[in-house]
Structure formats: structure tokens, C-alpha cells
Amino acid sequence: VAARRPLNAKAKPFLPSASDRPDIPKVDESPSATLERMANENARLLREIGWRNLAMMRRGRSALNPDVGKLDHEAAPYLEYLEKIGAQALSSTAPLSPEELQAAVDRGPHPSAVAKAEFLQKESLEMCERRHTMILPFSAVKHISGVRISPPGVVPQRARRDRTICDL
């Protein structure tokens, strides 16, 4: 298989990690403590700058090459749209009532998440550092229309790393 040339020969590879994020201090703390700190910081920012601005700030730049729209391929316009706007997360179900949201929180996580809490905390932290998700306390988001609550779970894998399940 021949190596592909990058769309932009001068482009540096995008490797999202905590090391290139000035807003994540380099502190030796447990994943649980780091997630709690991140959740509190995100809650503060949500109050100060609002949901859209927080989401844009935490999302960072796209992992797609900015020149993806120049590809000679029929999917290029759609890929360019995804690079600029992102993918929508649409739901066909009605928004949950405050009581339904609270009931979902009260039910708590799947038993597999409790049994594999340390793994799940490390996995969640990694997803936050890669900007795939962000963590916020329920108290900070329960008033936002369309909020969903999904209990995390862990599926054991034979001869491989366990797999996180988050049904959003």
C-alpha cells in the first residue's frame, strides 16, 4: 500500500492530548480528582459564557484537515461541512422532564461501571483530554433544554482492553 501524501505538506499532525492544552494544568492527581476539577471548571465557564461558547471552547479545532473540501471526491463537501460545523447529535425522542432527568441520575450507573470505576475514570479523562466529550455536574446542566442522562457501563473484552458504553 502506497503512503498517502497529506493534503497540506506543511501541516503538522493533529494529536489531541493534555500536553497541548494550556487550560489543563500538569498536576499529579488521581483521574477522579482531575475529572472533578474539570467538571467544576466547566460549570463555572457554563455560568459565565453559556453553553454554545463553552462547547466551542472545549471542542477545539477539528481533527479533519482544513483542506478536506479540496479533495477530488464526492464526499468532499460533506467532509468540509463536518470540519467546519461538526456533526449534529439529533434525537427523535422528546426531551425528558426534570423529574425524568432526576430519576435517571438517581438510578446511577450500570453495575459494571461501579465494578470498573477506576478504568471508567481513566477512560473518561482520556475522552475529555482528546476533546471527544466534556464533563459537567448534573446541577449545572439540568436546566438546559434537551439534556440527556445516560448511565455509563463497561463491557469486558476477552484478551483486549474493556470497552466503555455511554448510550448518548
Side-chain angles (χ1 to χ4, degrees):
V1 177
R4 295 183 187 177
R5 348 184 305 272
L7 292 175
N8 179 350
K10 297 176 188 172
K12 295 178 182 165
F14 175 59
L15 303 171
S17 72
S19 62
D20 61 2
R21 301 268 312 274
D23 55 325
I24 298 179
K26 314 305 181 274
V27 180
D28 188 22
E29 60 187 358
S30 70
S32 176
T34 303
L35 288 168
E36 183 176 355
R37 182 177 43 76
M38 290 171 129
N40 291 333
E41 175 66 7
N42 287 337
R44 181 187 65 77
L45 288 168
L46 178 62
R47 284 190 307 274
E48 292 176 7
I49 64 176
W51 170 247
R52 282 199 184 277
N53 290 327
L54 174 61
M56 294 292 286
M57 180 179 146
R58 290 296 186 230
R59 182 181 305 143
R61 79 180 188 122
S62 172
L64 291 173
N65 188 303
D67 293 332
V68 73
K70 296 177 185 174
L71 285 172
D72 184 22
H73 192 278
E74 63 186 40
Y78 180 63
L79 292 172
E80 182 176 37
Y81 171 85
L82 291 176
E83 192 272 329
K84 301 261 185 274
I85 308 297
Q88 294 183 17
L90 302 175
S91 175
S92 60
T93 60
L96 299 177
S97 70
E99 294 77 22
E100 291 170 315
L101 287 171
Q102 187 62 55
V105 170
D106 292 344
R107 266 191 310 276
H110 188 270
S112 63
V114 175
K116 299 279 191 165
E118 187 175 332
F119 166 80
L120 196 55
Q121 289 167 355
K122 288 178 183 175
E123 191 83 350
S124 299
L125 180 57
E126 184 178 313
M127 285 189 278
C128 289
E129 289 174 340
R130 289 187 177 184
R131 297 177 181 235
H132 296 168
T133 191
M134 79 172 102
I135 188 166
L136 284 150
F138 177 63
S139 61
V141 298
K142 63 184 177 183
H143 67 281
I144 298 175
S145 177
V147 163
R148 299 284 179 189
I149 303 297
S150 175
V154 178
V155 177
Q157 303 289 301
R158 187 175 33 224
R160 301 191 323 204
R161 173 182 161 135
D162 290 341
R163 187 166 47 106
T164 301
I165 299 293
C166 190
D167 200 15
L168 290 175

